[in-house]
Amino acid sequence: MLRLLPYIALALLAACAAPLPTPAPDALGGSGAQLRANRAARQFVEVVQTVEPVAERECRKRTTGMNCDFQIVVDDRPDLAPNAFQTVDRFGRPILAFNVGMINSVRNADELAFVMGHEAAHHILDHLAKTRQSATIGAVVFAGIAAISGAEAEAVRNAEQLGAAVGARTYSKEFELEADQLGTIITFRAGYDPVNGAAFFGRIPDPGNKFLGSHPPNAARLQIVAETAKALKAE
């Protein structure tokens, strides 16, 4: 289901995808910009209607007892950098959130479908829960070490926060690659080209292979998409 989500505090939730550059002003002026926005909106609705049922089928096929009823929402604030992410509401229903910057930044339906498949994959693979678990373990370990070493209460709290941050990032690169792989499958089975869809990696800064970085190198992501797509075509 798709609904507009105006002016809510989505910024408080953890972003997943690295943001794309903000689109340049439309050279055609106001009317040209409006036409482009209308095309982007129609494309978004079409992709949602095509990808969502495929993502839900994959979710039901691969999980047991997981809520697979995706809700796709749009943050319509125009001043935000392009972004998309996955979260769950207080009832455990999975949410795929996009802002208008992201919707306007993709160059074609393949890119939008790939981003949507990638975010849906994070839920299917239960990455939010796994990240929380890693953060909890990290917090306990770091706080325990600080306490044993005789640190004061404030230092223990700081160690706990650091441990949570380190724990949350421990498997983040692996999770991104896993979501790229399953996102490729969802995109392909929805009738889109995941290799063409992953081309947006070439327009975002390459995070390289930073220690505890949240995203893997772009080359690694493109490789897993290409390999997965090749295998799918060979089936």
Side-chain angles (χ1 to χ4, degrees):
M1 186 178 76
L2 170 65
R3 70 184 177 93
L4 190 67
L5 192 65
Y7 305 106
I8 66 169
L10 293 182
L12 298 177
L13 300 171
C16 167
L20 291 165
T22 303
D26 197 309
L28 298 178
S31 60
Q34 185 60 53
L35 287 172
R36 182 173 132 185
N38 290 342
R39 287 196 298 269
R42 286 196 298 271
Q43 176 177 264
F44 182 75
V45 172
E46 290 171 0
V47 170
V48 168
Q49 292 174 340
T50 307
V51 173
E52 182 183 20
V54 176
E56 292 182 352
R57 284 199 298 271
E58 288 295 321
C59 181
R60 289 191 292 269
K61 182 173 72 174
R62 295 168 180 267
T63 66
T64 301
M66 177 173 281
N67 190 330
C68 296
D69 184 16
F70 287 102
Q71 178 166 241
I72 300 174
V73 300
V74 177
D75 183 345
D76 67 350
R77 290 175 291 180
D79 56 337
L80 300 179
N83 196 22
F85 62 88
Q86 180 266 322
T87 187
V88 294
D89 65 16
R90 61 193 181 95
F91 302 108
R93 184 177 182 183
I95 294 174
L96 308 182
F98 298 78
N99 64 15
V100 292
M102 172 62 78
I103 294 170
N104 290 331
S105 291
V106 296
R107 291 183 175 175
N108 50 62
D110 293 327
E111 290 188 357
L112 186 57
F114 181 80
V115 172
M116 199 169 295
H118 172 96
E119 298 304 333
H122 275 305
H123 174 71
I124 297 169
L125 296 167
D126 205 20
H127 284 163
L128 280 180
K130 292 176 181 177
T131 298
R132 285 194 296 268
Q133 182 180 35
S134 296
T136 299
I137 293 172
V140 170
V141 170
F142 275 54
I145 293 173
I148 292 172
S149 66
E152 296 182 355
E154 183 177 356
V156 173
R157 285 195 297 271
N158 291 338
E160 182 179 28
Q161 292 174 358
L162 176 61
V166 171
R169 287 177 176 261
T170 300
Y171 301 106
S172 59
K173 293 179 183 179
E174 289 85 350
F175 289 168
E176 290 302 318
L177 291 175
E178 288 174 2
D180 287 337
Q181 183 177 46
L182 180 52
T184 298
I185 295 171
I186 293 171
T187 304
F188 181 84
R189 290 179 176 165
Y192 295 98
D193 182 349
V195 174
N196 190 46
F200 77 88
F201 287 134
R203 304 200 304 279
I204 62 177
D206 192 337
N209 195 20
K210 298 177 183 177
F211 176 66
L212 291 180
S214 61
H215 287 72
N218 290 344
R221 306 186 74 172
L222 290 169
Q223 180 180 355
I224 199 166
V225 170
E227 291 174 354
T228 304
K230 182 179 180 180
L232 288 167
K233 291 176 182 177
E235 289 181 351

